[in-house]
């Protein structure tokens, strides 16, 4: 926390949802941030925009959305005929060409979630004006944020442009400016909106504990990051958070089972994703199929080394390394490996950050379907590996979201209590 500002006398107790430590947090003034002294997770921040300002950003995003998603972003001239590519056209042509499930994955991450995210921010502002408690809206925003991938799609436009320029002249359409601004505003909204602070704004009757003598009785909800004394019971007689009604104190074995199940399913999906063709190009009747790795090699042969590096990182290195890291972390919990907790947490943060970028390949495929359609001298087709690859990305992202980092800190606490020294 910034110590240059005047210190406050009022403190509240809160559990760190990342390491489980109980921390006394003071009231903050503008631009101050309180961090957990053990894991440096942000517990509270006063550096945020008002919901009114966030709503204006969300409204701007919704105004730009039709131009960013429906109108052409890039185009090519093929035999004198202009062919345009837009986000919606890519999804539509992929679905009508016989790949509806793959198209649905692209549609979900590139169109549905960005629109709904902006709409939910507007709903929060309306709820604030009407004095309504939007529990479900706040819950949905937490779940939705990792799946909004306009920034990933923006990079995929550059990759598709390098890929298609080998066959035809490429032109940038003016509506690409609208897409760039939409992606930037969405990223800005991610940074400036604070769901935890909004929970406190909309539910002020749920106050944090202030008395240190009550610390042993505190419960913690990882969903809305609320620390409280007494849980309430749901219809199944399970303890739940009194603020967001999310189940708490879930058994560690259930967390591990869910994490393992989705991770193993992702591994199974990744095998055909790497072995089968992910795309096919028919040039003058001659077919040319590409797997994930051969696609990288083709960029290298074209001399586009940076694009090859981006595609290799997003499509091959990130998915495989993410799986290896998750297996290591899970085995660390099962076998109580006493490795460096800082290193383990750094690996977990990396997995959370890079996982969504693996969707880049599917976005490139959607753009290529829009640019190089059937019936022309050049025909592009999505391969069977695309669906397996998209499923692997989704399953591994779900797996990392299910994993509870406090399981690793329990091993660290046990080690510290036995040795009396930090590692």
């Amino acid at each position: 926390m910034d110590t240059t500002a005047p210190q406050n006398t009022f403190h509240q107790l809160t559990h760190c949802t990342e390491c489980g430590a109980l921390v006394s947090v003071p009231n903050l003034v503008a631009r101050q941030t309180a961090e957990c002294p053990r894991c440096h997770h942000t517990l509270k921040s006063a550096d945020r925009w008002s919901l009114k300002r966030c709503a204006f950003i969300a409204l701007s995003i919704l105004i730009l959305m039709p131009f960013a998603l429906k109108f052409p972003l890039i185009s090519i001239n093929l035999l004198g005929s202009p062919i345009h590519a837009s986000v919606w056209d890519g999804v539509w042509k992929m679905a009508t060409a016989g790949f509806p499930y793959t198209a649905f994955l692209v549609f979900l991450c590139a169109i549905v979630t960005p629109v709904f995210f902006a709409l939910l921010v507007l709903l929060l502002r309306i709820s604030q004006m009407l004095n309504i408690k939007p529990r479900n809206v706040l819950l949905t925003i937490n779940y939705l944020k990792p799946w909004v991938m306009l920034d990933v799609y923006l990079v995929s436009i550059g990759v598709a442009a390098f890929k298609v320029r080998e066959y035809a002249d490429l032109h940038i359409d003016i509506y690409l400016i609208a897409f760039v601004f939409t992606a930037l505003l969405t990223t800005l909204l991610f940074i400036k909106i604070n769901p935890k602070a909004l929970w406190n704004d909309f539910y002020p009757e749920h106050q944090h504990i202030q008395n240190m003598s009550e610390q042993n009785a505190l419960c913690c909800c990882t969903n809305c990051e609320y620390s409280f004394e007494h849980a309430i019971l749901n219809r199944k007689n399970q303890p739940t958070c009194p603020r967001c009604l999310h189940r708490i104190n879930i058994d560690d074995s259930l967390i591990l089972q869910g994490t393992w199940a989705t991770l193993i399913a992702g591994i199974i999906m990744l095998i055909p994703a790497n072995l089968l063709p992910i795309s096919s190009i028919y040039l003058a009747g001659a077919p040319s199929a590409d797997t994930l790795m051969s696609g990288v090699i083709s960029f290298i042969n074209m001399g586009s080394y940076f694009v090859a590096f981006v595609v290799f990182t997003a499509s091959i290195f990130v998915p495989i390394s993410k799986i290896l890291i998750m297996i290591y972390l899970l085995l660390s919990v099962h076998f109580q490996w006493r490795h460096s907790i800082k290193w383990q947490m750094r690996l977990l943060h990396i997995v959370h950050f890079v996982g969504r970028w693996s969707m880049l390949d599917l976005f490139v495929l959607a753009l290529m379907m829009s640019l190089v359609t059937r019936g022309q001298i050049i025909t592009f087709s999505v391969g069977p590996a695309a669906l397996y690859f998209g499923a692997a990305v989704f399953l591994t992202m779900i797996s990392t979201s299910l994993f509870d980092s406090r399981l690793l800190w329990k091993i660290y606490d046990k080690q510290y209590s036995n040795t009396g020294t930090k590692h």
Side-chain angles (χ1 to χ4, degrees):
M1 188 186 70
D2 182 10
T3 57
T4 59
Q7 297 298 312
N8 301 281
T9 57
F10 177 83
H11 288 68
Q12 64 185 21
L13 294 181
T14 184
H15 275 285
C16 174
T17 55
E18 189 157 292
C19 70
L22 185 68
V23 185
S24 178
V25 181
N27 265 1
L28 304 179
V29 297
R31 299 184 180 180
Q32 278 191 321
T33 300
E35 294 183 347
C36 174
R38 186 160 75 156
C39 69
H40 302 291
H41 174 65
T42 299
L43 300 173
K44 189 177 181 182
S45 176
D47 184 20
R48 65 174 179 128
W49 282 354
S50 66
L51 188 54
K52 181 179 180 180
R53 182 182 293 185
C54 291
F56 277 119
I57 298 295
L59 183 60
S60 302
I61 292 172
L62 290 175
I63 293 173
L64 289 170
M65 278 291 184
F67 303 98
L69 301 179
K70 184 65 176 70
F71 289 87
L73 305 178
I74 56 177
S75 59
I76 61 173
N77 285 323
L78 193 62
L79 298 178
S81 301
I83 304 170
H84 305 286
S86 68
V87 178
W88 173 253
D89 284 343
V91 172
W92 179 254
K93 290 181 180 179
M94 184 180 285
T96 55
F99 309 97
Y101 301 113
T102 309
F104 175 75
L105 298 181
V106 178
F107 175 70
L108 191 65
C109 296
I111 297 177
V112 174
T113 52
V115 172
F116 267 88
F117 179 72
L119 285 173
L120 289 175
V121 175
L122 283 179
L123 285 177
L124 286 177
R125 175 57 181 162
I126 294 172
S127 300
Q128 187 183 55
M129 295 169 62
L130 299 179
N131 199 26
I132 299 174
K133 297 184 181 300
R135 175 181 286 110
N136 291 331
V137 177
L138 287 168
L139 288 172
T140 307
I141 280 185
N142 277 337
Y143 293 131
L144 203 63
K145 284 181 68 175
W147 303 96
V148 181
M149 301 183 185
L150 288 183
D151 50 346
V152 181
Y153 203 102
L154 185 60
V155 176
S156 72
I157 294 174
V159 175
F162 274 97
K163 194 175 183 70
V164 79
R165 70 174 185 173
E166 183 181 3
Y167 308 105
D169 294 329
L170 180 76
H171 301 280
I172 304 298
D173 290 288
I174 192 171
Y175 296 105
L176 180 62
I177 299 175
F179 187 90
V180 172
F181 273 102
T182 303
L184 292 176
L185 288 175
T186 304
T187 304
L188 184 64
L189 197 57
F190 278 169
I191 297 171
K192 290 301 182 180
I193 197 166
N194 189 334
K196 180 181 179 181
L198 290 174
W199 276 106
N200 296 330
D201 293 342
F202 281 105
Y203 294 86
E205 69 274 13
H206 294 284
Q207 298 294 331
H208 289 274
I209 306 300
Q210 305 173 32
N211 189 349
M212 288 296 291
S213 64
E214 299 171 346
Q215 58 180 296
N216 293 328
L218 284 185
C219 302
C220 177
C221 175
T222 57
N223 201 48
C224 66
E225 300 189 32
Y226 177 48
S227 298
F228 51 93
E229 288 185 273
H230 305 294
I232 61 175
L233 300 178
N234 59 14
R235 295 179 179 179
K236 296 182 180 180
N237 209 34
Q238 299 169 330
T240 58
C241 171
R243 186 163 73 172
C244 71
L245 304 183
H246 186 263
R247 184 181 172 188
I248 62 171
N249 298 333
I250 301 176
D251 190 77
D252 292 349
S253 61
L254 293 178
I255 296 174
L256 292 173
Q257 287 174 19
T259 307
W260 271 117
T262 49
L263 183 64
I264 292 173
I267 294 172
I268 295 172
M269 292 293 104
L270 202 59
I271 295 173
N274 280 274
L275 297 179
L276 297 176
I278 197 168
S279 64
S280 299
I281 294 180
Y282 294 83
L283 181 58
S288 175
D290 275 329
T291 62
L292 288 172
M293 193 63 206
S294 65
V296 174
I297 295 173
S298 67
F299 278 118
I300 295 176
N301 294 333
M302 291 166 56
S304 304
Y305 300 109
F306 178 74
V307 178
F309 170 77
V310 171
V311 174
F312 173 79
T313 302
S315 304
I316 299 175
F317 178 76
V318 168
I320 294 176
S321 61
K322 181 169 60 175
I323 287 174
L324 293 177
I325 290 173
M326 286 304 301
I327 290 175
Y328 162 71
L329 295 177
L330 285 166
L331 292 178
S332 296
V333 174
H334 280 287
F335 295 104
Q336 302 287 298
W337 290 343
R338 299 179 178 182
H339 298 162
S340 170
I341 188 65
K342 291 183 179 179
W343 172 245
Q344 290 174 330
M345 292 306 299
R346 189 175 292 114
L347 290 176
L348 184 59
H349 292 159
I350 291 173
V351 166
H352 280 294
F353 176 75
V354 303
R356 56 203 296 276
W357 285 91
S358 298
M359 281 295 292
L360 182 140
D361 241 338
L362 290 190
F363 294 157
V364 172
L365 293 177
L367 286 167
M368 293 294 293
M369 286 292 294
S370 183
L371 283 172
V372 190
T373 55
R374 294 178 184 273
Q376 299 168 347
I377 190 172
I378 301 175
T379 301
F380 180 87
S381 177
V382 175
L387 178 59
Y388 294 110
F389 183 77
V393 174
F394 270 57
L395 287 166
T396 51
M397 285 184 65
I398 294 171
S399 178
T400 55
S401 67
L402 292 175
F403 185 77
D404 192 343
S405 60
R406 293 177 299 176
L407 297 174
L408 296 170
W409 282 97
K410 288 180 180 180
I411 302 173
Y412 171 82
D413 290 336
K414 185 184 297 184
Q415 178 186 11
Y416 179 61
S417 62
N418 291 338
T419 63
T421 57
K422 294 184 179 181
H423 296 272

